[in-house]
Amino acid sequence: MDGCIFCKIISGEIKTDFIFEDKKFVVFKDINPQAKVHLLLVPKEHIGSINDIGAKDEKFLAGVFAVIKQVAEKLGFDKTGYRTVINTGKDAGQEVLHIHFHILSGRKFSWPPG
Ligand code: AMP
């Protein structure tokens, strides 16, 4: 989608190292990390947010969790713990309107989130 920063990362227009890539997803480091490990899992298809997910997306969602698990195991933080965050819309502070899944690890996280 025109003007979408994550579409530009996926197409290679913005050079970014991928920690993981398959046919449907990429994972890369957040440019403004909020923890020792702060990754973004982004689908290659431009989907705006959870609001745009439908009943037909069961496989997509299963794929998201499979990739998160795989990356956590590969980097070893499956054992220490990690937090996954999805910001949706203005009040949640969603800045990039291309759905993405924050994966944070390497420190203790508080609850409730701010
Ligand atoms: P959100 O607030 O949930 O929309 O999160 C968007 C995230 O994308 C923020 O944590 C940004 O730091 C991150 N971000 C924005 N541009 C880039 C980029 N070029 N490379 C990596 N991460 C980025």
Side-chain angles (χ1 to χ4, degrees):
M1 178 173 262
D2 281 357
C4 171
I5 194 157
F6 286 173
C7 286
K8 287 181 183 168
I9 286 174
I10 288 156
S11 71
E13 192 181 331
I14 296 176
K15 291 270 167 271
T16 305
D17 289 331
F18 294 146
I19 282 166
F20 173 94
E21 179 176 19
D22 69 5
K23 263 174 32 193
K24 295 195 169 161
F25 301 102
V26 294
V27 177
F28 53 88
K29 288 184 180 171
D30 195 293
I31 204 168
N32 182 22
Q34 301 302 312
K36 215 159 147 193
V37 177
H38 186 172
L39 308 174
L40 298 173
L41 163 58
V42 183
K44 290 185 175 177
E45 181 186 355
H46 183 94
I47 298 169
S49 77
I50 288 181
N51 293 339
D52 302 302
I53 299 280
K56 64 170 178 43
D57 292 317
E58 252 177 56
K59 256 177 101 175
F60 165 79
L61 292 170
V64 167
F65 288 105
V67 173
I68 291 172
K69 183 169 179 266
Q70 198 176 320
V71 169
E73 285 171 0
K74 186 175 149 193
L75 300 186
F77 56 77
D78 58 320
K79 292 178 187 68
T80 49
Y82 55 98
R83 179 166 287 177
T84 48
V85 175
I86 311 164
N87 293 320
T88 304
K90 192 161 54 72
D91 282 358
Q94 184 180 4
E95 287 171 11
V96 179
L97 301 180
H98 180 138
I99 196 170
H100 51 280
F101 305 80
H102 295 260
I103 306 167
L104 300 123
S105 188
R107 67 171 170 87
K108 292 235 185 229
F109 297 99
S110 56
W111 193 265

